[in-house]
């Protein structure tokens, strides 16, 4: 509804200015430009305004140059279309590149290619519509939602932690690896969740650019920390996918020639490590939302999990496995868990530095 209101206001306002103030020969171009410029974010509105006006200027210059030198005939139109279509491929114009040719053809077909007054009138009309469209979006700027970006991070953290809790619970059961395939699929889907969080953060960050509401949030951090958090979670999810893959290989422990007793003792203790990693993930998400912060800090939870990792590594070393496959399975699980925790630890160091700098 807000977008509809913006479109109506920009269209009616620009058309009225073109008719009653500019006395334009082609007033319909003003609302057309306004509608092209009114975007969801202020930044996109300004960007579209600049690109569209640039496309119109180039189209008018080409139409004028062709009209004044070659006249108005079929060959001149072919030359005009060729030139404007080539210029329209300029990457900086993005999706507005075809407007160069459209404006040029419209001007030529309307008989204004050799009329400087008509060219100037069309330019001022388009400029009026573009400026009013951008101004409308500026006055009705959408709110800056820091909370949405924070929740996007927290959602991924919670989803990943829930999966780790599920894995840990099953690893303590009598049939610890029966659900490995479901865990692998769940871990793969988490990649999509991470991407959605990145999209939400990118939109929120763009929405804050040139937005006058930003003045009311001068004390709030920029969206860089949320982007970094999403990147960290993307790496964490990658390690979780590695854990589920390693567990899939570990299903072979019942096969002949594999030390099933070793792996059977290893998995419950590995579940404790996964549990503590899940707690650290939840703390990571809670830090960004600022709600429900745990009693133990993220650093303490990471250190605790890493200590569990070291103890489990020592246990594996002392067990002296009889076959290489068992030590490979256990070693792969330990490596993936250590990498997961290292990503959180690196992020925690960055968060600590930012907090210290702000103080």
């Amino acid at each position: 509804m807000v977008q509809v209101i913006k479109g109506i206001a920009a269209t009616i306002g620009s058309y009225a200015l073109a008719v009653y103030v500019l006395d334009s020969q082609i007033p319909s171009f003003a609302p057309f430009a306004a509608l092209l410029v009114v975007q969801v974010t202020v930044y996109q509105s300004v960007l579209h305004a600049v690109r569209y006006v640039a496309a119109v200027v180039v189209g008018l210059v080409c139409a004028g140059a062709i009209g004044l030198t070659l006249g108005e005939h079929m060959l001149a139109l072919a030359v005009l279309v060729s030139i404007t279509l080539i210029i329209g491929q300029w990457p900086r114009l993005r999706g507005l590149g075809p407007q160069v040719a459209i404006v040029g053809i419209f001007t030529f077909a309307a008989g204004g290619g050799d009329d400087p007054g008509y060219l100037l009138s069309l330019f001022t009309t388009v400029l009026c519509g573009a400026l009013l469209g951008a101004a409308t979006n500026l006055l009705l700027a959408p709110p800056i939602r820091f909370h949405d970006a924070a929740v996007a991070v927290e959602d991924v953290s919670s989803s990943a932690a829930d999966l780790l809790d599920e894995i840990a619970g099953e690893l303590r059961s009598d049939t610890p690896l029966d659900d490995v395939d479901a865990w692998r699929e769940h871990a793969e889907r988490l990649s999509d969740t991470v991407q959605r969080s990145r999209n939400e953060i990118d939109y929120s960050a763009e929405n804050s650019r040139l937005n006058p509401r930003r003045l009311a949030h001068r004390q709030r951090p920029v969206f860089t920390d949320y982007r970094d958090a999403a990147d960290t979670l993307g790496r964490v999810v990658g390690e979780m996918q590695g854990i589920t893959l390693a567990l899939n290989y570990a299903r072979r422990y019942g096969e002949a020639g594999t030390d099933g007793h070793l792996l059977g003792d290893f998995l419950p203790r590995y579940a404790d490590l996964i549990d503590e990693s899940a707690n650290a993930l939840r703390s990571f998400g809670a830090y960004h939302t600022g709600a429900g912060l745990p009693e133990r800090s993220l650093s303490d939870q990471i250190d605790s999990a890493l200590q569990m990792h070291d103890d489990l590594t020592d246990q594996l070393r002392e067990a002296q496995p009889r076959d290489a496959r068992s030590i490979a399975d256990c070693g792969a699980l330990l490596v993936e868990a250590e990498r997961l925790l290292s990503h959180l630890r690196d992020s925690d160091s960055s968060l600590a530095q930012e907090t210290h700098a702000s103080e």
Side-chain angles (χ1 to χ4, degrees):
M1 286 304 299
V2 172
Q3 284 301 107
V4 170
I5 292 172
K6 287 179 183 180
I8 293 173
T11 299
I12 300 302
S14 60
Y15 188 75
L17 284 175
V19 172
Y20 299 110
V21 177
L22 299 179
D23 192 23
S24 173
Q25 300 180 46
I26 19 62
S28 59
F29 255 79
F32 177 71
L35 284 177
L36 278 178
V37 167
V38 173
Q39 301 295 315
V40 176
T41 66
V42 176
Y43 175 72
Q44 282 293 333
S45 288
V46 174
L47 202 60
H48 269 62
V50 172
R51 286 172 176 164
Y52 184 60
V53 170
V56 168
V57 169
V58 174
L60 291 177
V61 169
C62 291
I66 298 298
L68 292 173
T69 56
L70 300 181
E72 296 182 356
H73 49 77
M74 193 64 68
L75 179 60
L77 177 61
V79 173
L80 173 63
V81 172
S82 301
I83 293 175
T84 52
L85 286 178
I86 292 173
I87 295 175
Q89 301 302 313
W90 188 32
R92 289 188 178 275
L93 292 176
R94 301 292 177 88
L96 294 176
Q99 293 297 323
V100 177
I102 291 173
V103 171
I105 294 171
F106 178 86
T107 304
F108 188 91
D114 57 355
D115 184 357
Y118 183 89
L119 297 175
L120 180 61
S121 178
L122 180 55
F123 170 72
T124 56
T125 301
V126 168
L127 183 63
C128 169
L131 291 178
L132 194 58
T136 300
N137 213 35
L138 191 66
L139 293 174
L140 300 175
I144 300 175
R145 302 186 184 278
F146 288 93
H147 182 68
D148 289 354
V151 168
V153 172
E154 199 275 335
D155 283 347
V156 180
S157 301
S158 297
S159 298
D162 289 344
L163 176 57
L164 288 180
D165 282 340
E166 179 184 343
I167 294 174
E170 290 297 320
L171 291 183
R172 299 187 181 98
S173 69
D174 294 334
T175 54
L177 302 177
D178 283 359
D179 295 330
V180 169
D181 291 334
W183 298 338
R184 290 187 64 189
E185 292 177 5
H186 192 166
E188 292 294 333
R189 291 197 301 270
L190 283 177
S191 295
D192 296 332
T193 306
V194 171
Q195 187 56 51
R196 285 194 297 271
S197 74
R198 286 195 178 107
N199 294 340
E200 180 66 38
I201 293 167
D202 288 344
Y203 170 77
S204 298
E206 182 184 280
N207 184 39
S208 69
R209 300 179 67 178
L210 305 180
N211 194 323
R213 293 175 183 261
R214 188 70 176 86
L215 298 175
H217 300 282
R218 284 176 292 184
Q219 302 303 318
R220 294 298 301 270
V222 294
F223 286 90
T224 305
D225 55 342
Y226 297 120
R227 285 199 189 99
D228 292 342
D231 290 340
T232 296
L233 290 172
R235 291 189 288 271
V236 165
V237 167
E239 306 307 337
M240 290 176 60
Q241 292 168 356
I243 289 174
T244 59
L245 181 60
L247 288 172
N248 183 51
Y249 285 119
R251 277 195 290 194
R252 299 171 306 181
Y253 80 88
E255 298 177 5
T258 306
D259 192 349
H261 177 72
L262 170 68
L263 198 59
D265 291 340
F266 175 87
L267 291 179
R269 295 195 63 184
Y270 189 75
D272 296 336
L273 171 59
I274 294 300
D275 262 340
E276 192 67 3
S277 301
N279 293 334
L281 261 175
R282 287 196 174 87
S283 298
F284 180 83
Y287 168 85
H288 290 86
T289 58
L293 291 174
E295 295 181 0
R296 290 192 301 156
S297 68
L298 177 58
S299 295
D300 289 342
Q301 291 173 332
I302 294 173
D303 291 341
S304 174
L306 287 172
Q307 184 59 53
M308 290 181 179
H309 176 276
D310 292 342
D311 293 343
L312 199 51
T313 302
D314 292 339
Q315 176 193 347
L316 180 63
R317 185 181 300 112
E318 293 170 359
Q320 297 181 346
R322 294 191 300 270
D323 66 288
R325 291 171 61 179
S326 295
I327 195 171
D329 290 338
C330 296
L333 290 169
L334 287 171
V335 168
E336 297 295 350
E338 184 180 26
R339 288 173 177 171
L340 186 156
L341 292 168
S342 69
H343 296 318
L344 292 178
R345 181 179 55 192
D346 293 343
S347 179
D348 182 55
S349 300
S350 301
L351 296 178
Q353 293 175 2
E354 291 175 5
T355 302
H356 180 73
S358 64
E359 292 175 352

